[in-house]
Amino acid sequence: MAEGPNRGEEPTSSTRMGMDTDPNTEITEFLIKCDDYQLFQLTKFYRDRLEQAIDGGVDGVSSLLTYDRHFSGQEHRKVIDLVEKGNRADSSKLLLNLVMEKGSLARRVMWESFVKMHHAVPKLDKILKEMQELGSDPFDYMNIGRGLSEIPSHLKDVQQKHKETLRIQTETVRVNTILIKEKVKIFQLVTLYTELTVISTVRDRTLVEHELLARGRDHEKWREKHLRRELEKIRTDQLFQRSFSQRKSKSGISAAVSGVAGIGKTTMVQKIVYDWATGKIYLHFQFVFSFKFRDLNAINCKINLRHLILDLYPYFGNILGELWKNPAGLLFIFDGLDEFKDSIDFADNRRNTEPQYMCTDPEDWCEVSDIVYSLIQHKLLPGCSVLLTSRPTALHLLEKAEISVWAEILGFVGEERKEYFNKFFEDQSVAAAVFKHVEENEILYTMCYNPSYCWILGLSLGPFFTQRDRKQQRVPKTITQLYSYYIYNILKNHGREIESPRDVFLKIGEMAFTGVSEKKIVFRNGDLIKYNLQPSQFLSGFMMELSERDDSSQSVVYTFSHLTIQEFVAALAQFLTPDPGDIRELLSETHSKKDGRFEIFLRFVVGLSSSQSARPLEEFLGPFLHQTICGVIDWVKEKVEGEIGKTESETGKRNLLNTFHYLFESQNQTLARVTVGSVETLTFSGLRLTPIDCAVLSHVIGLCDTIKHLDLWNCSIQCEGLQRLGPALHKCQELRLGKNKLGDSGVKLLSAALRNPDCKTQKLCLWANDLTASCTKYLVSVLTTKRSLTDLNLGNNKLGDSGVKLLSAALRNPDCKIQKLQLCDNDLTDSCTRDLSSALSTNLSLTFLKLGNNKLGDSGVKLLSEALRNPDCKIQTLGLDAVGLTDSCTKDLVSALSTNQSLTGLNLGSNSFTDRSIPALRSLIRSRRSLEWIGLKGNQFSPNGKRHLESLRESRPGLIVGV
């Protein structure tokens, strides 16, 4: 039975905690002093964070609890089963559930284990350090907020009115569609809303590439590498929990949530307001006031906080003065700091202009920026809380602000993407089909971290899977094709409303291009007039109308539904203008901008030069200008040819990869073959390749006619990237895939590609890829079926004796034509040498074998020597460096090599040979005139012995390598 908040539990010895842990640490002393009820409070308060923190060490905590007989063997097994299945989140939740049921003794043992393991678990370390910093105050600080929901009776009616107003305002979501009959679709918020992954920190990085695309790749990397260890998830209802606060203050909390455009900041704010209005979260706030900076931009005069609230919520009348008396019960939300027209300067010491005015009274008349500044800095209504949202590009404005809690929206992670599509489509079979298509196309799938991209994908791909006559048509593959289809639907459904869609699109595109150039996303009536545009149903098909208040009336501003749509329309305009000038000059100029603002624009321009993307649009807009298409193709051809061969530096490799992205968007096979068709070598070694990059590279290689060498050494492609590369790998004669963390699953994928009947791969390097014996069954299938593979490097892995046993069986197969095999540093012992010897005695093709940096020892080499005596052994080069040899094995080696007629090179370096081996080595060198070199560097010869070897080297120059 779960324990309740009482102090009557079984007595506990406080010395237990001190015996097994460091008694000198403050956290240990603090836990010893906690009585049972306080420990219960502590566990309950941190429970959500502990679930995340311990999911990497659940098995250790469970083992300790089982050893101390707090868990039964069956309970421990349940926890471990979840761990072994990979369900670590469920395992940590189960463990905490069990501990809370067991009572205080179990809790003490659990916290004791936390103290022991916290240095190796970053999230747990953070929690314990936080408790240590709080010292004697944690229980006071945990109790802050209790009782704040108590509200005077005369305010209850207006609170209820306010909640009902907010509920009505936020309970639905309006989604723009591309259908003429249903231009705006209305969803219930709770039905459509999918939880976003939010982390309790803000990642600092320089936005070099296009903001959204860079974050998409960055998101994938961080999810895999850091989300489990360092990055701590935070729910929206935890944003004002002081456990996430970096500033321990009782004067209220200011929280900042960052996220790129379209990531869901505004929808998240809507859900927060809705959940408060319906009594689900933030019960300690009596009143919540939400503002959009877009709306605040329309206020061009001084105003006070009272009128700011009354403009939106007039029913508060004259009772706002009552609210000011309890500022701790107030939450102010400001959405979209990056869209605010005025600057808010928090860095007093760096101001060159008039300081920000400090507003200390809600009745004071001042600028809107002063009100926001003073609320955040706790100068106005100290004790209230503030939530701001912003794109990362405006976060620098808050560097000196009194922000207590920082958070960043990562977007959709893993199954959250699938959940979005399940909610977007009523028909779950359509949802499954659309998501499957997106999931299989890495470029589209990566976009889905962002809810806005999911929305575009849902609108554009849905019809292909819901209308029978479209099922046979080609589903969009590139982002250019996808957006072309999106605009095609607008033209098809709204095109009759205007006389000349081409002229209108040209004007919109010119406005959009200016916006991209100037980083402008909001357009006013003046902008429309400048470009001779009129608001219309057609225009609103891809531009959103936003209300903007001014002093006297409501005005309307316009923004594209998403930044990428603005970029696409800007690119489209380049093909519609009757006087394009030199398109190559424009492309070169935009390409030269280093801040990445034109990256997606350029990909769209190149993509639209393809008939596949242009054809549906030309149905309504007329033919694209041939002069422009030719100019774009010439520019791409010039860029690719200019970058081919310039891959000595990382910059050169990156530039070439970018041009490959252009080729992919163009889907122009003729252009690709002209530019890369005769390429023999592609090297991207040392350059981190994302799954998107691998998909693009696979496309390009697939069009290369003469590709021989593909060097992806140390590119971190991992199994996911290899899966994207798979369809093209069989074309390459030499594959350098070392240091890519492919693992056994990667080799499984690779072996499938190499079994392609048209496979031309001769040399394969898989050095340092975390391979184990489990992968050798896949390698064996390649070795015994593909006669083209002659050179295989498996060095620096962990194949072990069992893995080599399987490989040896493959080597004995007459269909195996391998000539060179490297097994250095693979945890091998003398146990595998019997199998190897058997293979060497029967294989007629293997001439090169490296076994260095293993523990073969004299006994292992003795078995190998028996194979070397066999006249069928064709080994020419044998590497036995650093395998643990002593003088005892030289007799066997000399005996074997005296009869072996094929061996020409032998590496015996870094072993333990002494002067006692010199006579045998001298005999070997003199008797084997066919021996071309022998490596002896790093052995234990005396100075006199080295002189003897030097004299031998003089008699046969170049024979002895190292002494």
Side-chain angles (χ1 to χ4, degrees):
M1 179 176 175
E3 174 192 21
N6 64 76
R7 300 172 185 265
E9 292 192 347
E10 64 270 29
T12 305
S13 170
S14 62
T15 58
R16 158 93 193 197
M17 187 74 72
M19 280 169 29
D20 295 329
T21 59
D22 183 1
N24 299 316
T25 62
E26 292 181 29
I27 188 64
T28 300
E29 293 173 359
F30 165 73
L31 291 171
I32 290 172
K33 292 176 182 177
C34 286
D35 62 30
D36 296 339
Y37 176 65
Q38 288 175 324
L39 201 61
F40 169 80
Q41 275 189 308
L42 202 65
T43 309
K44 189 176 179 182
F45 181 76
Y46 281 110
R47 177 166 178 162
D48 288 337
R49 294 178 65 187
L50 287 173
E51 280 185 15
Q52 288 186 60
I54 66 172
D55 68 358
V58 175
D59 38 5
V61 179
S62 182
S63 295
L64 185 59
L65 287 161
T66 306
Y67 178 79
D68 281 2
R69 299 185 179 180
H70 296 291
F71 280 6
S72 67
Q74 185 179 9
E75 289 168 332
H76 175 64
R77 189 67 253 167
K78 285 182 179 179
V79 174
I80 298 304
D81 282 346
L82 289 172
V83 173
E84 291 175 350
K85 290 176 182 177
N87 301 330
R88 288 189 170 274
D90 291 338
S91 69
S92 58
K93 185 176 293 186
L94 174 60
L95 184 138
L96 286 165
N97 282 342
L98 290 170
V99 167
M100 292 302 278
E101 292 173 2
K102 299 294 181 181
S104 61
L105 270 173
R107 274 193 293 278
R108 287 195 180 274
V109 173
M110 180 180 71
W111 279 98
E112 173 186 352
S113 67
F114 292 167
V115 174
K116 288 179 177 179
M117 65 192 280
H118 73 98
H119 290 300
V121 185
K123 293 179 188 177
L124 191 57
D125 188 53
K126 183 179 178 182
I127 293 172
L128 294 181
K129 283 180 178 176
E130 179 183 294
M131 290 165 56
Q132 186 174 336
E133 289 168 3
L134 291 168
S136 60
D137 299 327
F139 299 105
D140 291 337
Y141 129 104
M142 283 192 288
N143 287 322
I144 288 175
R146 290 194 177 186
L148 290 181
S149 58
E150 295 293 330
I151 185 169
S153 56
H154 63 286
L155 293 180
K156 286 184 177 179
D157 288 342
V158 72
Q159 185 194 57
Q160 192 57 39
K161 168 72 173 174
H162 187 49
K163 285 188 172 184
E164 182 62 16
T165 300
L166 293 182
R167 184 191 65 77
I168 293 171
Q169 288 177 354
T170 58
E171 66 183 352
T172 58
V173 179
R174 294 169 61 85
V175 177
N176 292 320
T177 75
I178 49 181
L179 305 174
I180 192 167
K181 293 180 180 178
E182 195 178 20
K183 214 173 80 171
V184 175
K185 193 170 183 179
I186 298 176
F187 293 89
Q188 291 295 311
L189 176 67
V190 293
T191 302
L192 183 65
Y193 188 79
T194 304
E195 287 295 333
L196 296 156
T197 293
V198 184
I199 53 173
S200 63
T201 185
V202 173
R203 297 170 294 158
D204 183 26
R205 69 186 298 277
T206 303
L207 296 178
V208 179
E209 294 184 314
H210 179 279
E211 183 180 45
L212 297 182
L213 190 64
R215 288 283 172 156
R217 295 202 294 263
D218 189 52
H219 161 76
E220 289 297 310
K221 180 184 74 172
W222 278 77
R223 180 193 66 174
E224 296 296 330
K225 187 175 180 180
H226 297 294
L227 196 54
R228 181 173 295 279
R229 281 182 58 80
E230 290 89 352
L231 299 182
E232 188 170 7
K233 290 184 182 180
I234 177 173
R235 297 196 312 268
T236 52
D237 63 325
Q238 296 174 314
L239 286 172
F240 295 95
Q241 273 192 15
R242 293 183 179 273
S243 58
F244 289 102
S245 175
Q246 296 177 13
R247 299 174 184 268
K248 306 305 179 186
S249 165
K250 296 185 179 181
S251 61
I253 290 177
S254 292
V257 177
S258 164
V260 298
I263 200 71
K265 299 183 293 296
T266 298
T267 308
M268 184 191 75
V269 165
Q270 182 177 342
K271 184 66 161 53
I272 286 173
V273 173
Y274 177 80
D275 284 347
W276 175 81
T278 53
K280 293 184 178 69
I281 64 171
Y282 298 155
L283 302 182
H284 56 289
F285 291 129
Q286 296 173 353
F287 293 95
V288 172
F289 301 106
S290 182
F291 304 93
K292 289 183 171 65
F293 278 106
R294 280 184 178 179
D295 296 334
L296 298 179
N297 284 340
I299 302 175
N300 296 313
C301 59
K302 291 190 174 183
I303 194 171
N304 60 24
L305 183 59
R306 170 186 290 277
H307 283 87
L308 201 61
I309 293 174
L310 290 177
D311 277 357
L312 285 179
Y313 313 109
Y315 46 81
F316 276 94
N318 295 320
I319 66 169
L320 284 173
E322 290 293 313
L323 273 59
W324 310 149
K325 294 177 183 178
N326 183 25
L330 304 178
L331 169 61
F332 294 92
I333 301 176
F334 295 96
D335 183 30
L337 174 64
D338 51 283
E339 298 173 356
F340 194 32
K341 66 178 182 179
D342 298 326
S343 63
I344 307 177
D345 197 342
F346 295 91
D348 295 328
N349 59 335
R350 293 190 294 183
R351 289 194 189 121
N352 298 319
T353 57
E354 184 178 346
Q356 195 87 44
Y357 174 74
M358 192 175 295
C359 173
T360 58
D361 191 316
E363 310 291 335
D364 282 355
W365 293 83
C366 56
E367 302 294 335
V368 172
S369 59
D370 297 326
I371 294 174
V372 177
Y373 167 85
S374 300
L375 285 170
I376 293 171
Q377 299 298 83
H378 310 299
K379 306 301 181 184
L380 175 60
L381 298 178
C384 76
S385 294
V386 181
L387 171 63
L388 289 100
T389 70
S390 174
R391 290 171 66 181
T393 47
L395 283 183
H396 66 280
L397 300 173
L398 298 172
E399 285 179 357
K400 300 295 181 181
E402 294 289 322
I403 302 296
S404 305
V405 176
W406 294 91
E408 180 181 347
I409 303 176
L410 280 185
F412 293 149
V413 175
E415 288 296 304
E416 292 163 357
R417 304 174 182 197
K418 185 176 182 180
E419 183 184 344
Y420 180 93
F421 287 103
N422 288 341
K423 291 184 176 182
F424 188 92
F425 296 102
E426 293 179 5
D427 187 335
Q428 292 303 288
S429 63
V430 174
V434 170
F435 181 72
K436 183 175 185 294
H437 175 75
V438 170
E439 191 176 28
E440 289 175 349
N441 187 310
E442 179 61 25
I443 292 179
L444 301 184
Y445 181 67
T446 302
M447 289 164 56
C448 288
Y449 80 97
N450 190 309
S452 286
Y453 278 128
C454 291
W455 164 72
I456 293 170
L457 288 167
L459 288 175
S460 300
L461 294 174
F464 282 99
F465 299 95
T466 55
Q467 299 181 22
R468 289 183 181 178
D469 59 336
R470 283 192 178 147
K471 284 186 178 180
Q472 301 304 317
Q473 294 183 23
R474 181 168 180 170
V475 181
K477 180 179 181 182
T478 69
I479 57 173
T480 308
Q481 291 173 8
L482 177 72
Y483 279 66
S484 292
Y485 181 67
Y486 173 74
I487 298 297
Y488 166 82
N489 272 276
I490 294 174
L491 289 164
K492 185 174 182 179
N493 292 314
H494 300 286
R496 296 188 184 88
E497 300 163 13
I498 53 176
E499 291 183 5
S500 176
R502 186 184 183 100
D503 290 344
V504 173
F505 248 104
L506 177 59
K507 295 169 185 176
I508 298 170
E510 289 173 345
M511 183 177 74
F513 180 79
T514 301
V516 174
S517 302
E518 299 174 358
K519 296 186 176 181
K520 180 178 180 180
I521 62 172
V522 176
F523 302 91
R524 303 178 183 280
N525 279 315
D527 295 307
L528 267 62
I529 293 170
K530 178 181 177 181
Y531 290 95
N532 234 355
L533 290 166
Q534 294 292 329
S536 65
Q537 188 178 18
F538 172 73
L539 186 64
S540 63
F542 46 85
M543 292 194 77
M544 298 166 58
E545 299 175 359
L546 305 172
S547 296
E548 187 175 65
R549 295 179 299 111
D550 56 29
D551 297 334
S552 57
S553 63
Q554 294 273 336
S555 62
V556 175
V557 295
Y558 305 88
T559 183
F560 287 88
S561 304
H562 194 265
L563 178 59
T564 48
I565 294 176
Q566 178 178 335
E567 292 166 315
F568 182 86
V569 174
L572 180 57
Q574 309 308 314
F575 295 87
L576 305 178
T577 177
D579 183 23
D582 190 348
I583 186 67
R584 288 182 297 182
E585 184 178 333
L586 173 69
L587 296 177
S588 295
E589 182 181 346
T590 53
H591 185 268
S592 67
K593 301 295 182 185
K594 300 304 180 185
D595 60 2
R597 76 182 76 174
F598 289 108
E599 182 63 36
I600 297 300
F601 165 80
L602 284 169
R603 292 188 186 182
F604 281 144
V605 170
V606 175
L608 284 167
S609 70
S610 166
S611 59
Q612 290 173 269
S613 298
R615 190 178 297 114
L617 297 175
E618 287 179 325
E619 181 182 332
F620 296 96
L621 300 178
F624 284 11
L625 207 64
H626 183 68
Q627 178 185 343
T628 301
I629 293 172
C630 292
V632 172
I633 292 173
D634 288 343
W635 180 80
V636 175
K637 182 175 181 290
E638 181 183 313
K639 290 301 295 180
V640 177
E641 290 176 345
E643 302 299 343
I644 289 285
K646 295 181 179 178
T647 52
E648 295 84 6
S649 67
E650 182 175 337
T651 300
K653 292 169 185 173
R654 177 58 66 188
N655 289 340
L656 178 60
L657 187 62
N658 283 338
T659 62
F660 283 178
H661 276 274
Y662 296 145
L663 287 178
F664 179 80
E665 282 301 317
S666 77
Q667 292 289 296
N668 187 330
Q669 294 191 10
T670 302
L671 175 61
R673 287 199 169 97
V674 167
T675 52
V676 299
S678 60
V679 169
E680 292 188 355
T681 300
L682 288 174
T683 175
F684 295 98
S685 57
L687 187 69
R688 180 182 173 272
L689 300 181
T690 67
I692 291 178
D693 297 329
C694 292
V696 168
L697 191 55
S698 177
H699 171 78
V700 172
I701 294 172
L703 298 172
C704 290
D705 298 320
T706 57
I707 185 73
K708 291 182 179 178
H709 309 286
L710 179 62
D711 185 357
L712 300 183
W713 180 273
N714 192 25
C715 289
S716 301
I717 61 175
Q718 303 184 48
C719 188
E720 190 175 4
L722 187 70
Q723 186 174 13
R724 307 300 164 185
L725 282 164
L729 292 178
H730 70 279
K731 298 187 69 175
C732 306
Q733 292 181 20
E734 179 178 357
L735 289 173
R736 287 192 81 220
L737 299 175
K739 291 193 70 175
N740 275 300
K741 300 181 180 177
L742 300 181
D744 297 335
S745 54
V747 171
K748 182 179 181 181
L749 290 170
L750 179 61
S751 64
L754 297 180
R755 287 197 301 271
N756 186 307
D758 298 323
C759 180
K760 299 176 181 178
T761 305
Q762 298 173 8
K763 298 177 66 175
L764 174 61
C765 176
L766 293 173
W767 192 86
N769 266 300
D770 300 327
L771 308 183
T772 72
S774 299
C775 79
T776 50
K777 59 185 176 182
Y778 308 117
L779 289 171
V780 165
S781 70
V782 175
L783 291 174
T784 54
T785 57
K786 296 311 298 179
R787 298 193 173 197
S788 62
L789 188 63
T790 59
D791 189 333
L792 179 61
N793 185 344
L794 296 171
N796 200 17
N797 285 294
K798 297 184 182 300
L799 301 183
D801 295 333
S802 57
V804 170
K805 184 181 182 70
L806 287 171
L807 286 176
S808 298
L811 293 174
R812 290 194 297 270
N813 189 306
D815 291 325
C816 178
K817 301 302 178 184
I818 200 78
Q819 296 173 13
K820 291 186 176 182
L821 179 62
Q822 298 190 48
L823 295 170
C824 307
D825 197 5
N826 258 292
D827 295 340
L828 308 184
T829 71
D830 59 347
S831 298
C832 74
T833 52
R834 186 175 298 280
D835 297 297
L836 270 176
S837 296
S838 173
L840 294 180
S841 300
T842 55
N843 186 287
L844 300 178
S845 61
L846 189 65
T847 60
F848 182 102
L849 178 63
K850 281 194 172 183
L851 297 169
N853 286 293
N854 286 297
K855 298 179 180 179
L856 306 183
D858 294 337
S859 56
V861 172
K862 183 175 182 178
L863 288 170
L864 288 175
S865 298
E866 292 178 7
L868 293 174
R869 290 192 189 94
N870 191 307
D872 292 328
C873 178
K874 304 301 181 184
I875 287 291
Q876 297 174 10
T877 302
L878 180 62
L880 294 174
D881 49 308
V883 295
L885 303 185
T886 70
D887 298 326
S888 301
C889 77
T890 52
K891 184 178 179 181
D892 293 303
L893 268 176
V894 171
S895 172
L897 296 178
S898 63
T899 59
N900 184 290
Q901 298 303 309
S902 59
L903 194 74
T904 58
L906 177 64
N907 189 355
L908 297 174
S910 301
N911 283 295
S912 299
F913 294 125
T914 68
D915 293 355
R916 283 181 291 178
S917 295
I918 292 178
L921 292 170
R922 183 188 300 117
S923 173
L924 172 65
I925 292 168
R926 287 175 174 171
S927 64
R928 279 298 309 277
R929 304 307 294 178
S930 60
L931 192 66
E932 296 175 0
W933 65 272
I934 181 170
L936 295 173
K937 187 176 181 179
N939 280 289
Q940 300 177 15
F941 301 116
S942 70
N944 189 46
K946 289 180 180 180
R947 283 193 291 271
H948 280 294
L949 291 172
E950 288 288 356
S951 65
L952 278 173
R953 180 152 60 179
E954 290 174 6
S955 66
R956 289 185 61 183
L959 175 66
I960 300 178
V961 181
V963 174

